[in-house]
Amino acid sequence: MAFKETASVEGSPVFYKVHENAKKYTLRDNGFTETNSGNFQLIRPLDATPQSKEGFKLKITIAGDLKTLKMSITTANGLKSMNIFKGDNHEMSREKFYFLMDGMISRGVLEKA
């Protein structure tokens, strides 16, 4: 998946972009780690309980220039992309996804496109 100016997870109607005032220290303060290639990556579980290792994971990667990003929701092992917006059986994962995204918006990391 290539980096783009705006990104969304599979099935979501909402698109996000990197906030214009976001800095590298802002990303680090919000849980992003710097990869070997200079990008910043955040991986958060969307489980109902934090101890459960069976749920989905939200992956957000922001390019080192802080202008482009990519997002996905994967299985627990991180290998397969999932659509939590199809059907009614992933309501808890959708709520947690929107909660995490609202937190990123309020902290000046992302904004809705």
Side-chain angles (χ1 to χ4, degrees), residues 11-60:
S12 174
V14 182
F15 281 79
Y16 300 92
K17 64 180 182 176
V18 180
H19 195 280
E20 59 189 27
N21 296 331
K23 306 284 186 228
K24 291 183 178 187
Y25 62 83
T26 308
L27 299 178
R28 287 188 197 106
D29 288 348
N30 286 285
F32 284 82
T33 56
E34 194 164 0
T35 64
N36 291 338
S37 58
N39 299 326
F40 291 89
Q41 186 174 48
L42 175 77
I43 300 174
R44 287 286 182 259
L46 297 178
D47 301 339
T49 58
Q51 293 79 19
S52 173
K53 302 289 184 201
E54 301 169 1
F56 304 120
K57 290 183 180 178
L58 169 65
K59 287 186 177 182
I60 303 173

Side-chain angles (χ1 to χ4, degrees), residues 93-106:
S93 295
R94 283 193 292 269
E95 283 182 31
K96 192 152 185 189
F97 167 74
Y98 284 126
F99 176 77
L100 289 169
M101 297 311 292
D102 287 343
M104 292 292 155
I105 291 170
S106 68

Side-chain angles (χ1 to χ4, degrees), residues 43-109:
I43 300 174
R44 287 286 182 259
L46 297 178
D47 301 339
T49 58
Q51 293 79 19
S52 173
K53 302 289 184 201
E54 301 169 1
F56 304 120
K57 290 183 180 178
L58 169 65
K59 287 186 177 182
I60 303 173
T61 306
I62 298 178
D65 63 0
L66 305 182
K67 297 190 184 318
T68 56
L69 75 156
K70 58 184 176 179
M71 300 170 58
S72 65
I73 293 179
T74 63
T75 56
N77 61 11
L79 298 177
K80 185 178 176 193
S81 181
M82 297 297 297
N83 184 352
I84 62 170
F85 295 92
K86 187 171 28 172
D88 292 334
N89 49 347
H90 301 301
E91 184 65 35
M92 176 69 85
S93 295
R94 283 193 292 269
E95 283 182 31
K96 192 152 185 189
F97 167 74
Y98 284 126
F99 176 77
L100 289 169
M101 297 311 292
D102 287 343
M104 292 292 155
I105 291 170
S106 68
R107 294 182 194 112
V109 175

